[in-house]
Amino acid sequence: MRVVLGVAAGIAAYKACELLRLFTESGHEVRVVPTRDALRFVGEPTWAALSGNPVTVDVWDSVHEVPHVRLGQRADLVVVAPATADVLAKAAHGLAGDLLTNTLLTARCPVVYSPAMHTEMWDHPATRANVATLRERGAIVIDPAVGRLTGADTGPGRLPDPAEIFQVCLRVLSGRPRDLAGRKVVISAGGTREALDPVRFLGNRSSGLQGYALARTAVARGAEVTLVAANVALPDPAGAKVVRVESARELRTVVLDASADADVVVMAAAVADFRPAERAESKIKKTSAEPDAIALVKNPDILAELGEVRKGVPYPKVLVGFAAETDDVLANGQAKLARKGCDMLVVNQVGENLAFGTPDNAATVLVAGGDPVEIARAPKEDVADAVWDLVAPRLS
Ligand code: CTP
């Protein structure tokens, strides 16, 4: 595929070198179009060597090739990383003073912006308005990550991990529609840990991969994503707001709070049904020869609670559960769908080497009032997109 990588004048320009490599190493043809000031951060020879293509910043080079029109017209994807407040403003207003902004005006392919700037600039009403305009016109704008910025300050404004920006771009290139644009989506992922004492817990084998794939694909389809992650050791998906939790009760608080105005809630987390009745303040010692039995109490059923809550309020519009089953997969799933009051239940068969921790998944989606839909074994991102294909039509 033909990709134009726009690079604006931000310190995060050096991270775009990594993004460029990910594109070229996976066989994409990349033309890098920096702004003139971006070259103060990373020079032209670096972009030329890494892309294997000439690099120009203005419309007066190689005029016979009409580059200001040609690059945008021929691209399958334009990604601007980092996108500065200045470039977002120019793009929102249709200014065309250099090759990058000309390319943005002539491109008819999907455009992805990955902004990076100081928090004050990101939060400024002018930038907010420009981002809203670009999104309304169909661009994907990846919210910046939260963390250390240039200098000592921290906050929203960091360029996300280039590998994660790359994942969003790949999903956009896969041609899925932007049918979650403007939708608020809450996804839980991972597995809860229920503490026995300060060092031990009862947990499960959920890796969080399927929930993270749901988050990535939802961002690429234009959604505003809150990802509630229970004990997941994976990089944050670009553009998602990640909230970390440990126990079922913490997960419940965060999910219920985020769901109050959400269009879609997907409970992909493996939530412990029980927790130890008591959490010892100090590490439990091996005092007697025979261990004490661990007394358990029931955890709240978050999905069932959401199913109840929305009987009285309009949110969430679509509620999706996951079900991990080892036996009688479909019969158990149908009973669960009814019991939990959700619109869809994505049923996986789990067990040794199935689903947990693997990059692939297969599922049957049980749909309230409809026929089950089979999702053939595929990468978890494709399974996630198949779920969104079923969710999106229910939102309109
Ligand atoms: N779930 C939840 N709260 C719980 C348990 C599960 O919100 N305390 C959600 C899970 O996130 C998932 C769905 O309910 O979306 C089904 O989870 P599963 O573990 O398969 O179902 P259980 O209700 O635990 O039923 P069982 O253990 O009997 O199979």
Side-chain angles (χ1 to χ4, degrees), residues 267-269 271-273 299-303 321-325 336 339-340:
M267 283 292 297
V271 185
D273 293 324
N299 265 333
D301 188 323
I302 305 159
L303 184 59
F322 267 68
E325 303 288 350
K336 213 171 265 184
R339 197 168 71 235
K340 306 226 181 193

Side-chain angles (χ1 to χ4, degrees), residues 325 328-340 345 347 364-372:
E325 303 288 350
D328 281 340
V329 177
L330 286 188
N332 282 329
Q334 287 290 5
K336 213 171 265 184
L337 176 74
R339 197 168 71 235
K340 306 226 181 193
L345 194 72
V347 187
T364 305
V365 184
L366 305 180
V367 183
D371 293 330

Side-chain angles (χ1 to χ4, degrees), residues 52 61 92 135-136 200 204 247 257 259 280 289 300 302:
D61 299 317
R135 283 181 172 151
E136 265 164 36
R200 303 183 182 95
N204 61 68
S247 67
D257 188 44
S259 300
I302 305 159

Side-chain angles (χ1 to χ4, degrees), residues 44-64:
E44 184 268 338
T46 303
W47 301 121
L50 289 178
S51 69
N53 275 316
V55 173
T56 47
V57 298
D58 64 39
V59 293
W60 305 113
D61 299 317
S62 313
V63 175
H64 64 287

Side-chain angles (χ1 to χ4, degrees), residues 30-257:
V30 188
R31 287 294 298 261
V32 182
V33 184
T35 62
R36 184 172 306 286
D37 282 342
L39 296 179
R40 290 169 179 258
F41 291 104
V42 178
E44 184 268 338
T46 303
W47 301 121
L50 289 178
S51 69
N53 275 316
V55 173
T56 47
V57 298
D58 64 39
V59 293
W60 305 113
D61 299 317
S62 313
V63 175
H64 64 287
E65 290 173 359
V66 204
H68 74 290
V69 179
R70 201 59 57 81
L71 276 181
Q73 281 177 338
R74 294 179 63 214
D76 296 304
L77 175 78
V78 177
V79 50
V80 186
T84 54
D86 182 63
V87 157
L88 294 173
K90 284 175 175 151
H93 290 85
L95 299 182
D98 61 7
L99 186 55
L100 176 56
T101 46
N102 272 274
T103 303
L104 289 167
L105 279 181
T106 52
R108 292 295 173 269
C109 60
V111 179
V112 175
Y113 294 90
S114 192
M117 63 196 74
H118 268 80
T119 307
E120 292 83 349
M121 298 173 85
W122 175 246
D123 284 342
H124 194 283
T127 307
R128 309 302 324 141
N130 292 330
V131 167
T133 300
L134 293 168
R135 283 181 172 151
E136 265 164 36
R137 291 189 191 140
I140 298 291
V141 184
I142 299 174
D143 277 348
V146 179
R148 179 85 187 262
L149 305 170
T150 323
D153 32 0
T154 58
R158 270 174 76 85
L159 193 78
D161 183 349
E164 291 296 324
I165 300 173
F166 180 61
Q167 289 299 329
V168 173
C169 293
L170 286 188
R171 296 322 291 180
V172 171
L173 275 170
S174 79
R176 293 310 209 288
R178 286 181 58 268
D179 50 5
L180 297 178
R183 302 295 188 179
K184 284 194 175 179
V185 171
V186 178
I187 299 160
S188 70
T192 63
R193 289 180 179 177
E194 311 298 326
L196 275 162
D197 69 15
V199 292
R200 303 183 182 95
F201 58 84
L202 300 181
N204 61 68
R205 287 151 58 97
S206 177
S207 63
L209 283 168
Q210 185 62 69
Y212 273 50
L214 282 158
R216 278 198 201 107
T217 48
V219 167
R221 291 171 91 132
E224 183 186 318
V225 178
T226 301
L227 177 60
V228 189
N231 312 296
V232 181
L234 296 170
D236 290 354
K241 177 183 171 202
V242 183
V243 186
R244 287 175 208 291
V245 296
E246 196 167 312
S247 67
R249 285 183 296 173
E250 284 169 23
L251 185 76
R252 175 182 172 275
T253 304
V254 177
V255 166
L256 290 187
D257 188 44

